[in-house]
Amino acid sequence: MSRMPGWLGRLGAGLTEMSERLDELRAEVEKEHAPPADPVPEPVDTVKAVVPHQGGADRRPDPAQAVPWGVRVAAEAGWRLLVLAGTVWVLMRVISAVQLVVFAFVIALLVTALLQPTVARLMRYGLPRGPATALSAISGFVIIGLMGWFVTWQVMENIDTLSDQIQNGIDDLRNWLLKSPFHVTDKQINQIAKSLREAIGANTDQITSAGLEGVQVVVEALTGILLVFFSTLFLLYDGQRIWQWFLKLVPAAARPGVAGAGPRAWRTLTAYVRGTVLVALIDAIFIGLGIYFLNVPMAVPLAVFIFLFSFIPLVGAVASGALAIVVALVTQGVFTAVMTLVVVLAVQQIEGHVLQPFILGRAVRVHPLAVVLTVAAGGMVAGIGGAVVAVPLVAVTNTVVGYLRQYSMGQAMADGVALGAARQQPAPPSADEAVPVGGAPEGEAPADATRENTEGLAHKE
């Protein structure tokens, strides 16, 4: 009986140990035969899951991915072009509604570009800005008015003589046609004259209405002249402040580029106006001298017409030269007309190949094809005024676009250089390596001090 409790204790301990081993074996077996963990379910594409491919196994692609890349690019560019075209159309409608104001301001800019050097010269001589501006503007408009008055006076003084010369020229032309090898008969000439008289008689109402509309044109012209005069005064006197006010309307991100493009555009416009005036003056002087020595009537008014028409590139020179040739033909005969044609062509060839490249070549870099298309488009949109302002507008736009392109490239290069320099700079020390502001931790010496002490001990040894 005394040995019984010990035996029971050993038996209980053995059973407990056996139970623990069985639990460990059971846990290992369950771990080996346990199923793998469920993966995270992927999002199901409802379009691909619901609509199977006709082949059965494959699925249909996304419709956006099925469209070719070129078609998508064309579509993206297409709607943007439509928005841009709509914006331009609305802008043109607004400009056409206030066409008189727009033309007056543009002409004021051209006159300001012509008169600004005079204002600067008077101010260098000690004259205040206000009187210098008023004197320059009034003198410029007086000169323009005197030119118009001189042309009108010469035409009114010589209208009777010119009418007689034209009638004699027509008779001479008729006799030449009758004797020419073209076999023109007197009956055909009378029929042509009769057709002209009938055409004039049938269009009497239209001619009368045109005369009534001419009164409205005169009123609009006087209004435009007043607008040009006052706009020129303010641009000459306060142009810098007006430009600064305009820059405030530009977004801040684009303001530096616009501020740099403005002075360059103004220099281009100034060079264009001065060069055009100089070229037109040379044309008027030499063609006027040529037709004067050929005894063409009203040589001086024709020279003034040539000067004014020269402000319309290409078309103006042709029109003014044709006018001089027609006057020479009906007043002095075929030989004088041919000689006038030779003079006009010679002067225009010198202008096109020598004067314009020398005077306007560097300032206004516009291709001749662009000039022709621009003048044609300006004339179709806004008549003579559009043809006059088309070329300087294109020249200024070309200068602005070129500068903005260079400015954006320079900004991109500067940003690239700054980014490269930032990458090359050493990284700041981490928190573990950094030395506290107050010095090294207590019990430690800074690295420099430790190195100095070590070097000192070595030196002493």
Side-chain angles (χ1 to χ4, degrees):
M1 295 294 295
S2 59
R3 299 177 61 186
M4 198 65 182
W7 174 80
L8 288 176
R10 287 193 298 273
L11 180 62
L15 291 175
T16 302
E17 184 178 357
M18 186 180 296
S19 176
E20 292 175 355
R21 290 181 180 179
L22 288 175
D23 292 336
E24 292 175 359
L25 291 173
R26 188 183 298 110
E28 291 176 0
V29 170
E30 288 178 357
K31 185 176 180 181
E32 290 177 358
H33 295 280
D38 294 335
V40 179
E42 297 181 356
V44 180
D45 192 346
T46 56
V47 177
K48 296 181 181 179
V50 174
V51 185
H53 193 266
Q54 293 180 359
D58 298 335
R59 297 177 179 178
R60 289 185 178 180
D62 188 9
Q65 300 296 329
V67 179
W69 175 257
V71 177
R72 284 195 284 172
V73 172
E76 292 286 339
W79 72 262
R80 288 176 171 84
L81 289 176
L82 288 177
V83 172
L84 182 61
T87 304
V88 173
W89 183 80
V90 172
L91 183 62
M92 294 300 296
R93 296 288 293 179
V94 173
I95 291 176
S96 63
V98 290
Q99 185 175 1
L100 180 62
V101 178
V102 173
F103 275 135
F105 183 74
V106 173
I107 294 174
L109 283 176
L110 298 177
V111 177
T112 302
L114 182 63
L115 297 179
Q116 189 182 30
T118 305
V119 176
R121 189 175 295 109
L122 292 176
M123 291 179 63
R124 284 197 298 270
Y125 290 156
L127 196 65
R129 188 174 189 83
T133 299
L135 182 61
S136 300
I138 293 174
S139 300
F141 281 95
V142 166
I143 292 174
I144 295 174
L146 287 176
M147 291 173 59
W149 170 81
F150 179 76
V151 172
T152 305
W153 173 63
Q154 286 291 313
V155 171
M156 296 302 295
E157 284 289 326
N158 297 279
I159 189 66
D160 296 333
T161 305
L162 183 63
S163 178
D164 294 337
Q165 290 178 344
I166 290 175
Q167 185 62 41
N168 295 331
I170 292 174
D171 294 337
D172 294 339
L173 181 62
R174 177 177 180 175
N175 295 329
W176 180 80
L177 289 174
L178 291 174
K179 297 177 181 179
S180 66
F182 298 106
H183 303 290
V184 179
T185 62
D186 194 10
K187 182 179 180 180
Q188 292 175 338
I189 295 176
N190 293 332
Q191 185 65 32
I192 294 172
K194 182 180 178 181
S195 300
L196 290 175
R197 286 194 299 269
E198 290 177 354
I200 294 174
N203 296 321
T204 303
D205 296 336
Q206 296 181 0
I207 295 174
T208 304
S209 63
L212 295 176
E213 291 178 358
V215 177
Q216 183 181 359
V217 171
V218 170
V219 173
E220 291 182 355
L222 292 176
T223 305
I225 290 172
L226 291 176
L227 287 175
V228 169
F229 179 74
F230 285 107
S231 299
T232 303
L233 278 177
F234 284 107
L235 288 173
L236 285 174
Y237 181 75
D238 214 9
Q240 187 65 28
R241 291 180 59 186
I242 294 174
W243 172 245
Q244 295 297 330
W245 173 82
F246 173 77
L247 285 178
K248 294 179 181 179
L249 303 178
V250 179
R255 195 172 299 165
V258 176
R264 289 165 175 80
W266 182 251
R267 285 197 292 269
T268 299
L269 182 63
T270 304
Y272 173 81
V273 174
R274 296 178 189 172
T276 302
V277 169
L278 183 58
V279 171
L281 186 62
I282 293 174
D283 285 350
I285 291 175
F286 283 96
I287 294 178
L289 289 175
I291 61 178
Y292 175 78
F293 287 113
L294 290 172
N295 293 323
V296 177
M298 294 196 307
V300 178
L302 286 175
V304 176
F305 272 114
I306 291 170
F307 174 78
L308 296 177
F309 273 74
S310 296
F311 284 90
I312 305 176
L314 300 179
V315 179
V318 174
S320 59
L323 178 62
I325 293 169
V326 169
V327 173
L329 177 64
V330 298
T331 56
Q332 300 295 326
V334 178
F335 177 77
T336 304
V338 172
M339 296 303 298
T340 304
L341 175 62
V342 171
V343 171
V344 171
L345 290 178
V347 174
Q348 290 182 357
Q349 289 297 316
I350 294 174
E351 170 202 339
H353 293 86
V354 178
L355 296 179
Q356 286 192 354
F358 180 74
I359 297 174
L360 298 175
R362 294 185 177 180
V364 184
R365 298 179 180 179
V366 181
H367 196 274
L369 179 60
V371 173
V372 173
L373 296 178
T374 301
V375 171
M380 293 173 63
V381 172
I384 297 178
V388 171
V389 303
V391 175
L393 179 62
V394 170
V396 170
T397 304
N398 185 32
T399 301
V400 171
V401 171
Y403 173 78
L404 292 179
R405 186 187 300 114
Q406 295 179 357
Y407 177 80
S408 61
M409 292 175 61
Q411 288 293 108
M413 292 178 62
D415 294 341
V417 171
L419 182 60
R423 290 179 177 177
Q424 291 177 1
Q425 288 181 356
S430 61
D432 298 334
E433 298 175 355
V435 178
V437 177
E442 186 177 356
E444 295 183 10
D448 295 338
T450 304
R451 184 169 58 252
E452 291 175 0
N453 294 335
T454 305
E455 292 176 356
L457 292 174
H459 180 69
K460 289 180 179 179
E461 293 176 357

